[in-house]
Amino acid sequence: GNSVTQMEGPVTLSEEAFLTINCTYTATGYPSLFWYVQYPGEGLQLLLKATKADDKGSNKGFEATYRKETTSFHLEKGSVQVSDSAVYFCALSDWGGTASKLTFGTGTRLQVTL
Amino acid sequence: DVKVTQSSRYLVKRTGEKVFLECVQDMDHENMFWYRQDPGLGLRLIYFSYDVKMKEKGDIPEGYSVSREKKERFSLILESASTNQTSMYLCASSFTGGNQPQHFGDGTRLSIL
Protein backbone atom coordinates (compact mmCIF):
# COMPACT_ATOMS: atom_id res chain seq x y z
CA GLY A 1 0.00 0.00 0.00
CA ASN A 2 0.90 3.67 -0.05
CA SER A 3 3.08 5.16 2.64
CA VAL A 4 4.80 8.41 3.53
CA THR A 5 7.95 8.67 5.64
CA GLN A 6 9.02 11.93 7.25
CA MET A 7 12.10 12.77 9.23
CA GLU A 8 11.75 12.49 12.96
CA GLY A 9 11.36 15.67 14.92
CA PRO A 10 11.52 17.91 16.66
CA VAL A 11 13.61 20.15 14.47
CA THR A 12 14.97 23.15 16.34
CA LEU A 13 16.38 26.10 14.39
CA SER A 14 17.37 29.66 15.04
CA GLU A 15 15.46 32.40 13.27
CA GLU A 16 16.71 33.01 9.69
CA ALA A 17 18.21 29.51 9.42
CA PHE A 18 17.63 27.29 6.38
CA LEU A 19 15.00 24.60 6.77
CA THR A 20 14.75 21.18 5.17
CA ILE A 21 12.18 18.58 6.21
CA ASN A 22 12.62 15.31 4.35
CA CYS A 23 9.70 13.36 2.94
CA THR A 24 9.80 10.19 0.88
CA TYR A 25 6.88 8.15 -0.35
CA THR A 26 5.84 4.77 -1.70
CA ALA A 27 2.91 4.68 -4.06
CA THR A 28 1.51 3.00 -7.11
CA GLY A 29 0.60 5.20 -10.01
CA TYR A 30 1.14 8.94 -10.01
CA PRO A 31 -0.14 10.51 -6.82
CA SER A 32 -0.37 14.20 -6.05
CA LEU A 33 1.79 15.32 -3.13
CA PHE A 34 0.96 17.85 -0.43
CA TRP A 35 2.48 19.61 2.55
CA TYR A 36 0.13 20.62 5.34
CA VAL A 37 0.93 22.73 8.40
CA GLN A 38 -0.72 22.55 11.82
CA TYR A 39 -0.30 25.48 14.19
CA PRO A 40 -0.91 24.89 17.91
CA GLY A 41 -4.57 24.32 18.70
CA GLU A 42 -5.66 24.37 15.07
CA GLY A 43 -6.52 21.96 12.27
CA LEU A 44 -4.35 21.32 9.24
CA GLN A 45 -3.89 23.96 6.56
CA LEU A 46 -2.71 23.25 3.04
CA LEU A 47 0.75 24.74 2.61
CA LEU A 48 1.57 23.67 -0.95
CA LYS A 49 1.02 20.91 -3.45
CA ALA A 50 2.48 19.36 -6.61
CA THR A 51 0.52 17.18 -8.99
CA LYS A 52 3.13 15.68 -11.31
CA ALA A 53 6.82 14.88 -11.56
CA ASP A 54 9.19 17.89 -11.50
CA ASP A 55 6.40 20.24 -10.38
CA LYS A 56 7.45 22.71 -7.71
CA GLY A 57 4.90 23.81 -5.17
CA SER A 58 5.51 27.05 -3.30
CA ASN A 59 3.77 29.24 -0.73
CA LYS A 60 4.83 31.69 2.00
CA GLY A 61 8.51 31.15 1.19
CA PHE A 62 8.24 27.36 1.44
CA GLU A 63 9.04 25.16 -1.57
CA ALA A 64 8.97 21.48 -2.44
CA THR A 65 9.74 19.69 -5.71
CA TYR A 66 8.08 16.43 -6.78
CA ARG A 67 11.01 14.09 -7.51
CA LYS A 68 9.74 10.88 -9.07
CA GLU A 69 13.21 9.36 -9.49
CA THR A 70 13.92 9.57 -5.75
CA THR A 71 10.25 9.37 -4.65
CA SER A 72 10.77 12.47 -2.53
CA PHE A 73 9.03 15.75 -1.78
CA HIS A 74 11.31 17.59 0.64
CA LEU A 75 10.10 20.86 2.17
CA GLU A 76 12.52 23.81 2.20
CA LYS A 77 12.55 27.40 3.33
CA GLY A 78 15.48 29.76 3.01
CA SER A 79 14.95 31.74 6.21
CA VAL A 80 12.58 30.56 8.93
CA GLN A 81 10.74 32.80 11.36
CA VAL A 82 9.46 32.17 14.88
CA SER A 83 5.95 32.21 13.41
CA ASP A 84 6.82 29.10 11.34
CA SER A 85 6.89 27.00 14.51
CA ALA A 86 4.31 24.28 13.86
CA VAL A 87 3.92 20.63 12.89
CA TYR A 88 4.39 19.86 9.19
CA PHE A 89 2.76 16.88 7.48
CA CYS A 90 3.66 15.40 4.13
CA ALA A 91 0.84 13.58 2.34
CA LEU A 92 0.00 11.85 -0.92
CA SER A 93 -3.32 11.37 -2.62
CA ASP A 94 -4.68 8.01 -3.58
CA TRP A 95 -7.60 7.76 -5.96
CA GLY A 96 -9.73 4.89 -4.61
CA GLY A 97 -12.39 4.94 -7.31
CA THR A 98 -14.86 6.91 -5.21
CA ALA A 99 -12.78 9.66 -3.62
CA SER A 100 -9.20 10.70 -3.29
CA LYS A 101 -7.87 9.70 0.10
CA LEU A 102 -4.78 11.16 1.68
CA THR A 103 -2.01 9.12 3.27
CA PHE A 104 -0.10 11.19 5.82
CA GLY A 105 3.34 11.02 7.31
CA THR A 106 3.62 11.14 11.09
CA GLY A 107 4.45 14.85 11.11
CA THR A 108 7.60 16.82 11.95
CA ARG A 109 7.52 19.43 14.67
CA LEU A 110 9.51 22.60 13.93
CA GLN A 111 10.57 24.92 16.73
CA VAL A 112 12.15 28.22 15.73
CA THR A 113 13.90 30.29 18.41
CA LEU A 114 15.17 33.87 18.46
CA ASP B 1 -12.47 30.80 1.90
CA VAL B 2 -13.52 27.24 2.62
CA LYS B 3 -15.00 26.81 6.05
CA VAL B 4 -15.14 23.45 7.79
CA THR B 5 -16.75 23.75 11.19
CA GLN B 6 -16.65 21.13 13.90
CA SER B 7 -19.30 21.48 16.56
CA SER B 8 -17.06 21.22 19.62
CA ARG B 9 -13.40 22.04 20.31
CA TYR B 10 -13.32 20.01 23.53
CA LEU B 11 -15.58 17.22 24.69
CA VAL B 12 -15.52 14.98 27.77
CA LYS B 13 -17.62 11.82 27.86
CA ARG B 14 -17.81 8.63 29.89
CA THR B 15 -17.13 5.07 28.81
CA GLY B 16 -20.14 3.38 27.29
CA GLU B 17 -21.80 6.63 26.18
CA LYS B 18 -22.90 7.16 22.59
CA VAL B 19 -20.99 10.18 21.28
CA PHE B 20 -21.78 12.34 18.26
CA LEU B 21 -19.21 14.58 16.56
CA GLU B 22 -20.61 16.95 13.96
CA CYS B 23 -18.94 18.57 10.97
CA VAL B 24 -20.34 21.10 8.49
CA GLN B 25 -18.72 22.49 5.33
CA ASP B 26 -19.86 25.43 3.25
CA MET B 27 -18.17 24.79 -0.11
CA ASP B 28 -20.48 22.21 -1.67
CA HIS B 29 -17.72 19.58 -1.53
CA GLU B 30 -18.70 16.08 -2.57
CA ASN B 31 -16.26 14.34 -0.25
CA MET B 32 -16.02 14.46 3.52
CA PHE B 33 -13.61 12.66 5.85
CA TRP B 34 -13.09 11.84 9.51
CA TYR B 35 -9.58 11.30 10.91
CA ARG B 36 -8.14 10.77 14.32
CA GLN B 37 -4.78 12.24 15.23
CA ASP B 38 -2.55 10.64 17.84
CA PRO B 39 1.06 11.51 18.79
CA GLY B 40 3.57 9.54 16.77
CA LEU B 41 0.88 8.06 14.51
CA GLY B 42 -0.03 11.06 12.38
CA LEU B 43 -3.54 11.15 10.94
CA ARG B 44 -5.48 7.97 10.37
CA LEU B 45 -8.63 7.81 8.28
CA ILE B 46 -11.70 6.48 10.06
CA TYR B 47 -14.45 6.87 7.44
CA PHE B 48 -15.15 8.96 4.41
CA SER B 49 -18.18 9.84 2.31
CA TYR B 50 -18.21 10.60 -1.41
CA ASP B 51 -21.89 11.53 -1.68
CA VAL B 52 -24.99 11.93 0.43
CA LYS B 53 -25.84 8.67 2.21
CA MET B 54 -22.69 7.05 0.76
CA LYS B 55 -19.78 6.03 2.99
CA GLU B 56 -16.69 3.89 2.95
CA LYS B 57 -14.48 2.55 5.69
CA GLY B 58 -11.06 3.99 6.14
CA ASP B 59 -8.11 2.39 7.89
CA ILE B 60 -9.50 2.25 11.43
CA PRO B 61 -13.34 2.07 11.33
CA GLU B 62 -13.81 -0.30 14.28
CA GLY B 63 -15.93 1.23 17.04
CA TYR B 64 -17.16 4.08 14.83
CA SER B 65 -20.00 4.76 12.43
CA VAL B 66 -20.92 7.78 10.31
CA SER B 67 -23.96 9.50 8.89
CA ARG B 68 -24.35 11.84 5.95
CA GLU B 69 -27.96 12.83 5.41
CA LYS B 70 -27.15 16.20 3.82
CA LYS B 71 -24.29 17.16 1.55
CA GLU B 72 -22.86 19.75 3.92
CA ARG B 73 -22.96 17.68 7.11
CA PHE B 74 -20.99 14.59 8.15
CA SER B 75 -21.35 13.05 11.60
CA LEU B 76 -19.03 10.66 13.38
CA ILE B 77 -20.63 8.37 15.95
CA LEU B 78 -18.89 6.45 18.71
CA GLU B 79 -21.43 3.74 19.43
CA SER B 80 -20.11 2.90 22.91
CA ALA B 81 -17.19 5.12 23.84
CA SER B 82 -14.06 3.54 25.25
CA THR B 83 -10.94 5.09 26.79
CA ASN B 84 -8.82 4.12 23.76
CA GLN B 85 -10.95 6.47 21.68
CA THR B 86 -9.56 9.47 23.55
CA SER B 87 -7.97 11.46 20.75
CA MET B 88 -8.08 14.51 18.52
CA TYR B 89 -10.69 14.11 15.77
CA LEU B 90 -10.36 16.06 12.54
CA CYS B 91 -12.98 16.51 9.84
CA ALA B 92 -12.07 17.43 6.25
CA SER B 93 -13.81 18.00 2.94
CA SER B 94 -12.80 18.20 -0.71
CA PHE B 95 -13.97 18.22 -4.28
CA THR B 96 -13.58 15.01 -6.26
CA GLY B 97 -10.26 14.58 -8.10
CA GLY B 98 -6.78 13.26 -7.39
CA ASN B 99 -5.21 16.69 -7.13
CA GLN B 100 -7.88 18.27 -4.97
CA PRO B 101 -6.65 19.24 -1.50
CA GLN B 102 -8.64 18.47 1.60
CA HIS B 103 -9.73 21.34 3.84
CA PHE B 104 -9.74 20.72 7.57
CA GLY B 105 -11.70 21.88 10.56
CA ASP B 106 -9.99 22.92 13.80
CA GLY B 107 -10.53 19.54 15.44
CA THR B 108 -12.37 18.17 18.46
CA ARG B 109 -10.29 17.00 21.38
CA LEU B 110 -12.31 14.16 22.87
CA SER B 111 -11.59 12.67 26.28
CA ILE B 112 -13.29 9.47 27.37
CA LEU B 113 -13.18 8.94 31.13
Side-chain angles (χ1 to χ4, degrees), chain B residues 14-82:
Chain B
R14 299 211 172 271
T15 55
E17 281 194 67
K18 191 168 186 176
V19 180
F20 293 84
L21 302 183
E22 307 287 344
C23 176
V24 177
Q25 52 95 1
D26 66 357
M27 279 302 293
D28 205 34
H29 286 161
E30 297 92 4
N31 305 315
M32 297 189 75
F33 307 82
W34 275 107
Y35 296 88
R36 62 177 284 176
Q37 181 180 13
D38 300 290
L41 297 177
L43 276 75
R44 294 178 292 168
L45 181 64
I46 303 171
Y47 267 97
F48 68 98
S49 169
Y50 53 92
D51 201 351
V52 175
K53 297 189 186 296
M54 307 305 289
K55 62 186 179 184
E56 283 196 21
K57 294 179 180 179
D59 300 318
I60 51 164
E62 296 78 19
Y64 303 94
S65 63
V66 290
S67 172
R68 193 167 179 202
E69 297 296 318
K70 294 185 178 182
K71 191 174 186 179
E72 67 271 18
R73 186 179 297 271
F74 192 36
S75 302
L76 179 69
I77 304 155
L78 285 65
E79 298 289 345
S80 177
S82 65

Side-chain angles (χ1 to χ4, degrees), chain A residues 31-32 34 36 38 41-46 49 51 87 89 93-102 104-107, chain B residues 9 31 33 35 37 40-43 45 48 50 56-57 88 90 94 96-107:
Chain A
S32 292
F34 303 86
Y36 282 84
Q38 185 177 35
E42 297 183 12
L44 275 69
Q45 300 176 24
L46 177 67
K49 72 175 187 180
T51 59
V87 180
F89 291 91
S93 69
D94 175 18
W95 174 250
T98 51
S100 283
K101 296 182 286 183
L102 290 178
F104 287 89
T106 54
Chain B
R9 293 298 302 271
N31 305 315
F33 307 82
Y35 296 88
Q37 181 180 13
L41 297 177
L43 276 75
L45 181 64
F48 68 98
Y50 53 92
E56 283 196 21
K57 294 179 180 179
M88 170 71 88
L90 292 167
S94 75
T96 296
N99 62 356
Q100 294 295 325
Q102 292 181 16
H103 301 270
F104 284 80
D106 283 340

Side-chain angles (χ1 to χ4, degrees), chain A residues 54-95:
Chain A
D54 300 323
D55 264 4
K56 178 186 283 188
S58 62
N59 186 26
K60 300 181 181 178
F62 291 90
E63 293 183 341
T65 300
Y66 190 161
R67 301 283 188 203
K68 191 169 184 294
E69 65 276 12
T70 55
T71 61
S72 65
F73 192 53
H74 304 321
L75 182 68
E76 296 181 337
K77 187 175 185 183
S79 176
V80 294
Q81 306 300 311
V82 172
S83 57
D84 294 327
S85 298
V87 180
Y88 292 81
F89 291 91
C90 184
L92 65 82
S93 69
D94 175 18
W95 174 250

